[in-house]
Amino acid sequence: MTQTNRQILLVEKPTGKLLPQNFKMAEAAIPEPKDGEVLLRVLYISLDAANRAWMQGATYRAAVEANTVMAGGAIAEVVKSNAPGFTPGDLVFGDTGWQDYAVVRAKHLVKVPRIDPITNLLSVYGVAGLTAYFGLLNVGKPKADETVVVSAAAGSVGSFVGQIAKIKGCRVVGIAGGKEKCNWLVSELGFDAAVDYKSEPVFKALKAAAPNGIDVYFDNVGGDIFEACLPQMNQHGRISCCGAVSAYDGTPPAHGPRGVPGLIVVKRLIVQGFIFTDFNDQRDAAMADLQSWVKAGKIKVQEDIINGLENTPNALIGLLAGENRGKRMVKV
Amino acid sequence: MTQTNRQILLVEKPTGKLLPQNFKMAEAAIPEPKDGEVLLRVLYISLDAANRAWMQGATYRAAVEANTVMAGGAIAEVVKSNAPGFTPGDLVFGDTGWQDYAVVRAKHLVKVPRIDPITNLLSVYGVAGLTAYFGLLNVGKPKADETVVVSAAAGSVGSFVGQIAKIKGCRVVGIAGGKEKCNWLVSELGFDAAVDYKSEPVFKALKAAAPNGIDVYFDNVGGDIFEACLPQMNQHGRISCCGAVSAYDGTPPAHGPRGVPGLIVVKRLIVQGFIFTDFNDQRDAAMADLQSWVKAGKIKVQEDIINGLENTPNALIGLLAGENRGKRMVKV
């Protein structure tokens, strides 16, 4: 156990693309938990496109401010507890920030079981898996034989969305960057087709890959890809809005996708934003489904684990550039 | 009864703003109904912003083609019937087009009761009233004390939306063009506030008029006003997409509203397009509600009736410019 607490601070809010120099490493004393608080040792930090959005301003949470420890969800172990219900050795999920140790109010923590491997708590049994599950099934509501299109399909959420849609009997098309990812989606994860937005015009390639139109579009990216999908939506289609990564890293786009709201009217679409906690009341059922699908080999869990707290900034920068396949996290 | 059938043809599809010269008057023989068809005398033609959208391409109906009778819904009287269930004197609603007489297949007609005044069949008991009712209550789902904002608020649909929202106990803000319309919304129809988009910056004026944010935005216009409302939506707000009149008359806008889909995610919004026929199964209940509200004086019905078939083109051009107050129609 180190005797100091290494912390990664956001030294300034990025104005354009996120850069390594927006962060710096600092050291502090290991903090003491006060009443109702718990001292945690951080094990695995989750990296998510949303981390970048938090730097832009208030979202579903307060903005991350300059000169503070960078925020982020993580799996952590209780070291010291001043709160009932938490004892040393307990495993929890919470927003610890990017550091070795964190003191967090117990009411903001969720206790999680010590499964093997525990990294699955950040991928299929964590935010990524639950986001895919609820965003697809509760928001997108696909029916068997419908066509589901998912963007950032090789990312953590997207790879689960496609596999769950296959389980539900849908035709699944993934949009991803690069031939390698696209091949992986089809040959390893069982997608019916994949569109490589880096090498082919998305609108045309989608038209070929989804000849019956799109019933559910699971949107992780916004921007041009949202605009390419919109006119191909079928009547009464659903767009599940999970994120808009195209707008996070850099200056926000000057305008939104063409066809909003006209095509939403004409096609009678439902376009719905969500975060997975909106469906907390159905979490147990979701978890049971995910577990049975993983056990049955119907969901393959791809994780992209980077070692060392000091590499967290570059891990996020790389994620925003789309270099990961599956769920990216940092082993502290 | 005239012996010829006057018809207004769309001679060419408008490329920019709709102009009188896009239409011409023609004369034809009164047609004979074939098997399963009905000959109708057109009484009142409904004018709707959607008429202009039909010229742009396929919507929820086929596009209106050049050199054909301009399409349009109307209240008409059966003159001659070759279809079971229809007899001379029956009143119907259907797409007769802009002409004195029309032959229509009986299965495309809806029989309507001969109420007084029958013009109410095109306003509160017709497309406008049902669109407002279903779009507000089934799509927007406002709760008491929530804030409802409606654009094109002095138009046929908008004026009903605001009044129904008041009946449901909401705070109601209308967006309309011109002081006179805005005064009318507040003093005559009971809106809580009105924003004049012609004389004040919409974003700022809305902020003042809806200090608790917007829970339901009923969108008739799209474009800049949609963009001004979006950042003011409350968490879990609903946008009921009824039309996008800002995009109908002229070349379609280059881009959509800023903040789509990012703000839809962050605010967990539901943005839903609809047309009133999506809720046909609930039509009787809707009609009963509308009747009781009109009878109780809770809904004031404003109609804007223009005389003479020959004035239909200018009536539509004026409607697209926002010159009407309440439901515009032409008495043939």
Side-chain angles (χ1 to χ4, degrees):
Chain A
M1 200 195 270
T2 55
Q3 284 314 299
T4 56
N5 186 21
R6 294 176 307 156
Q7 302 181 310
I8 295 174
L9 310 183
L10 181 72
V11 287
E12 52 180 3
K13 294 207 190 194
T15 50
K17 270 198 177 311
L18 187 65
L19 297 170
Q21 53 263 42
N22 297 133
F23 298 97
K24 77 166 181 203
M25 181 77 97
E27 293 199 348
I30 296 174
E32 279 293 316
K34 299 198 196 74
D35 222 37
E37 293 181 339
V38 171
L39 172 65
L40 301 171
R41 186 164 69 90
V42 181
L43 304 179
Y44 290 92
I45 295 170
S46 176
L47 289 167
D48 301 282
N51 298 157
R52 179 65 183 85
W54 301 344
M55 300 173 191
Q56 289 186 322
T59 54
Y60 44 86
R61 53 159 288 148
V64 176
E65 296 301 336
N67 285 310
T68 60
V69 176
M70 177 59 200
I75 295 295
E77 192 175 56
V78 174
V79 175
K80 204 167 174 180
S81 172
N82 260 325
F86 290 84
T87 47
D90 282 353
L91 221 51
V92 299
F93 176 79
D95 184 350
T96 62
W98 294 3
Q99 53 189 340
D100 289 318
Y101 293 91
V103 161
V104 179
R105 293 200 69 75
K107 66 175 178 182
H108 295 142
L109 295 172
V110 179
K111 276 172 88 164
V112 287
R114 196 174 283 271
I115 60 167
D116 182 29
I118 65 171
T119 53
N120 281 4
L121 293 167
L122 287 184
S123 58
V124 67
Y125 305 132
V127 177
L130 290 169
T131 297
Y133 184 95
F134 290 125
L136 179 67
L137 301 182
N138 290 35
V139 179
K141 299 188 176 116
K143 298 181 201 81
D145 297 324
E146 286 192 330
T147 297
V148 173
V149 171
V150 55
S151 53
S156 56
V157 173
S159 66
F160 296 130
V161 167
Q163 294 181 85
I164 297 171
K166 284 307 300 175
I167 292 168
K168 296 295 181 183
C170 302
R171 176 174 172 81
V172 177
V173 179
I175 304 174
K179 285 262 164 288
E180 213 187 334
K181 281 184 182 172
C182 286
N183 289 341
W184 175 68
L185 292 174
V186 174
S187 62
E188 292 293 315
L189 301 191
F191 284 47
D192 295 288
V195 168
D196 174 10
Y197 72 84
K198 287 189 176 162
S199 79
E200 41 191 352
V202 173
F203 184 89
K204 230 175 123 183
L206 256 183
K207 199 119 195 150
N212 298 324
I214 305 170
D215 299 294
V216 176
Y217 170 48
F218 191 106
D219 181 44
N220 284 306
V221 299
D224 292 344
I225 290 180
F226 188 109
E227 184 170 294
C229 291
L230 189 56
Q232 304 195 43
M233 295 298 296
N234 289 330
Q235 290 278 325
H236 298 289
R238 288 80 67 200
I239 299 182
S240 180
C241 295
C242 179
V245 66
S246 71
Y248 294 162
D249 198 26
T251 39
H255 294 285
R258 196 189 309 244
V260 173
L263 292 175
I264 296 175
V265 180
V266 165
K267 295 169 177 286
R268 281 78 81 59
L269 304 180
I270 297 179
V271 182
Q272 185 173 350
F274 75 99
I275 66 169
F276 74 103
T277 50
D278 293 341
F279 305 100
N280 266 346
D281 58 325
Q282 297 161 60
R283 200 176 172 133
D284 291 346
M287 208 58 99
D289 277 344
L290 291 168
Q291 280 164 343
S292 76
W293 293 333
V294 170
K295 210 170 158 185
K298 290 180 179 171
I299 289 186
K300 290 184 184 166
V301 180
Q302 180 77 21
E303 296 175 343
D304 172 12
I305 302 172
I306 289 170
N307 277 302
L309 177 68
E310 65 280 10
N311 294 317
T312 320
N314 280 328
L316 178 59
I317 291 166
L319 177 133
L320 294 169
E323 70 182 27
N324 61 303
R325 188 194 280 179
K327 175 63 195 174
R328 175 165 279 197
M329 60 188 88
V330 165
K331 184 175 183 187
V332 176
Chain B
M1 202 194 270
T2 56
Q3 284 312 299
T4 56
N5 185 22
R6 293 177 306 156
Q7 302 180 310
I8 295 174
L9 310 184
L10 181 71
V11 287
E12 52 181 3
K13 293 206 190 194
T15 50
K17 269 198 177 312
L18 187 66
L19 297 170
Q21 51 264 41
N22 297 133
F23 299 95
K24 76 168 180 201
M25 181 76 99
E27 294 201 345
I30 296 174
E32 279 293 316
K34 297 198 197 74
D35 223 38
E37 294 181 339
V38 171
L39 174 65
L40 302 170
R41 186 164 69 90
V42 180
L43 304 179
Y44 290 92
I45 295 169
S46 176
L47 289 167
D48 300 282
N51 299 155
R52 179 65 183 84
W54 303 344
M55 300 174 192
Q56 290 186 321
T59 53
Y60 44 86
R61 52 158 290 150
V64 177
E65 296 302 335
N67 285 310
T68 60
V69 175
M70 177 59 199
I75 295 295
E77 192 175 58
V78 174
V79 175
K80 204 168 175 180
S81 172
N82 259 326
F86 289 84
T87 47
D90 282 353
L91 220 52
V92 299
F93 176 79
D95 183 351
T96 62
W98 293 4
Q99 53 189 339
D100 289 318
Y101 294 92
V103 161
V104 179
R105 293 201 68 75
K107 66 176 178 182
H108 296 142
L109 295 171
V110 179
K111 275 170 89 165
V112 288
R114 195 173 284 270
I115 60 168
D116 182 29
I118 65 170
T119 54
N120 281 4
L121 294 166
L122 287 184
S123 58
V124 67
Y125 305 133
V127 176
L130 290 169
T131 297
Y133 184 95
F134 290 125
L136 180 67
L137 302 182
N138 290 35
V139 179
K141 298 185 176 120
K143 298 181 201 79
D145 296 325
E146 285 191 331
T147 296
V148 173
V149 171
V150 55
S151 52
S156 56
V157 174
S159 66
F160 295 130
V161 167
Q163 294 182 85
I164 297 171
K166 284 307 298 175
I167 291 168
K168 295 295 177 182
C170 302
R171 175 174 172 81
V172 177
V173 179
I175 305 173
K179 286 263 164 289
E180 213 186 334
K181 281 184 182 174
C182 286
N183 289 341
W184 176 67
L185 292 175
V186 173
S187 62
E188 291 293 314
L189 301 191
F191 284 47
D192 296 287
V195 168
D196 174 10
Y197 71 84
K198 288 189 177 164
S199 79
E200 41 191 350
V202 174
F203 184 90
K204 228 174 124 181
L206 257 183
K207 199 119 196 151
N212 298 324
I214 304 169
D215 299 293
V216 176
Y217 170 48
F218 191 105
D219 180 44
N220 284 306
V221 300
D224 292 344
I225 290 179
F226 188 109
E227 185 170 293
C229 290
L230 190 56
Q232 304 195 45
M233 295 299 297
N234 289 331
Q235 291 277 329
H236 298 289
R238 288 81 65 198
I239 300 182
S240 180
C241 295
C242 180
V245 66
S246 71
Y248 295 162
D249 199 25
T251 41
H255 295 283
R258 197 188 310 243
V260 173
L263 292 174
I264 296 175
V265 181
V266 165
K267 294 167 178 286
R268 281 79 78 64
L269 304 180
I270 297 179
V271 183
Q272 183 172 352
F274 74 98
I275 66 171
F276 74 103
T277 51
D278 293 342
F279 305 99
N280 266 345
D281 57 326
Q282 297 162 59
R283 199 176 172 132
D284 290 348
M287 208 59 99
D289 277 345
L290 290 168
Q291 279 165 343
S292 77
W293 294 332
V294 171
K295 209 170 157 186
K298 291 179 178 173
I299 288 186
K300 290 184 186 168
V301 180
Q302 179 79 21
E303 296 175 345
D304 172 12
I305 302 172
I306 288 169
N307 276 301
L309 178 68
E310 65 281 8
N311 294 318
T312 319
N314 280 327
L316 178 59
I317 292 166
L319 177 134
L320 294 169
E323 71 183 25
N324 61 303
R325 188 194 281 178
K327 176 64 194 173
R328 175 164 280 198
M329 59 188 90
V330 165
K331 183 173 185 187
V332 176

